[in-house]
Amino acid sequence: MMLRPRWIGALILSLALAAGFALLGQWQLERAVESGKVVDAPSETVLPLAQVAKPGGPITDKATGQLVTLEGSFVPTDYELLQGRLNHGTAGWWVVAHVTVGGTATDSEPVALAVARGWAADENTAKSAMARLADQPETQQTIVGRLLPTEAPEVPKDKSHPFVMTTMSAAALYNLWSGVDGQDVYSAYVVEATPPAGLVKIDSPPPIQESTLNWLNLFYAAEWIVFAGFAIFFWFRLVKDAKEKEDELRELEESAAQLGKVD
C-alpha cells in the first residue's frame, strides 16, 4: 500500500510540510535564544554622577552598579559606622560619610550623598580610621565609586544598643547629618573605589546581567515541531485507513463469492 505512487506522492508532500514546520520551529527557537542573550551593560565605564542619577528619587535599573565620578567634599562631623557588613564573607564595619555634592560658585544647590569609604574587620580599627578622617579638612575632591540603591532602614535587634546601624539607608543617615535641612539627597549611595588609609576596599562587583529565555517563542517552536510530527502521522493514518477499507472490501467480496458457490 505504502509503495503505490499515490501514497508515495502523499508521503513526499507530508515530508515537505514537516520540513517546513521544522524550519519554522528552528526559527522560533533561534528567536528565543537570541532574545535571551546577555547584553553587557557598560557599568565599568566611569560616568559623571549627574549623568546617571538625579537626587530626590530612586535610581534606575540601568544606573544600578554603574561606576561614577563626582566632585564633592566630605563633611568631617557626619561620619557613621555600619555594623555587620560582609566583605568577602567576613562580617565587619563600614565607615560611611556624608558628601556634599555641588554648592560651589559654578554649581547649583548642594546635594547630600552617602558614601561607603571602606571596611574594617573590627570596631576599634573602624573607629580609629573614622577619627582620622574626621580630622581632615573639608575640601573639594574627586570621588570615584560604584553607585548602588539605598537600603531600607532597620530597627536594631539589640535593644541595649538602639543606635547601632546595619543598613546603608540614605533616609536614616540624612536624619543624622548636620546642616542638611531642606537639602536634596540622593536615594542611593556610592561605594568608594579607593579606600582611605587604614580601611579595606569594600567588595562591590559589577552587577550580574541576567539572561531570560522568551518562553512564548519556545512555545511556538514546540508547536511547530508538533505540527511537523502531525503531518507524518496524518499521512500514516490515511494509508492505514485506505488499507483497512481495501481489506474490508476484499473480505466482503470473498464472502459474496463463497455465498455464490453455495447457491
Side-chain angles (χ1 to χ4, degrees), residues 198-212:
L199 294 175
V200 177
K201 180 180 178 180
I202 296 173
D203 181 38
S204 182
I208 298 174
Q209 303 300 316
E210 296 183 355
S211 172
T212 57

Side-chain angles (χ1 to χ4, degrees), residues 63-78:
T64 299
Q66 176 68 49
L67 287 177
V68 296
T69 181
L70 62 117
E71 296 292 327
S73 58
F74 292 98
V75 181
T77 58
D78 287 346

Side-chain angles (χ1 to χ4, degrees), residues 79-83 92-96 118-133 197-199:
Y79 276 96
E80 300 289 342
L81 291 182
L82 299 188
Q83 180 178 321
W93 279 256
W94 277 13
V95 175
V96 299
W119 178 89
D122 59 86
E123 186 176 9
N124 289 334
T125 301
K127 286 183 176 180
S128 178
M130 186 172 66
R132 289 196 303 271
L133 293 171
L199 294 175

Side-chain angles (χ1 to χ4, degrees), residues 62-179:
K62 185 178 180 180
T64 299
Q66 176 68 49
L67 287 177
V68 296
T69 181
L70 62 117
E71 296 292 327
S73 58
F74 292 98
V75 181
T77 58
D78 287 346
Y79 276 96
E80 300 289 342
L81 291 182
L82 299 188
Q83 180 178 321
R85 304 298 296 195
L86 296 178
N87 208 42
H88 297 290
T90 303
W93 279 256
W94 277 13
V95 175
V96 299
H98 165 204
V99 171
T100 301
V101 182
T104 63
T106 58
D107 288 327
S108 59
E109 294 297 321
V111 181
L113 172 69
V115 173
R117 304 214 61 185
W119 178 89
D122 59 86
E123 186 176 9
N124 289 334
T125 301
K127 286 183 176 180
S128 178
M130 186 172 66
R132 289 196 303 271
L133 293 171
D135 284 337
Q136 294 179 0
E138 186 173 352
T139 57
Q140 284 284 317
Q141 54 187 291
T142 301
I143 303 167
V144 177
R146 194 176 301 281
L147 183 68
L148 296 174
T150 183
E151 300 172 2
E154 187 176 276
V155 178
K157 297 178 181 179
D158 187 356
K159 301 302 181 182
S160 60
H161 297 85
F163 299 108
V164 169
M165 298 182 64
T166 58
T167 60
M168 190 67 166
S169 169
L173 290 169
Y174 188 85
N175 290 328
L176 298 175
W177 293 338
S178 59

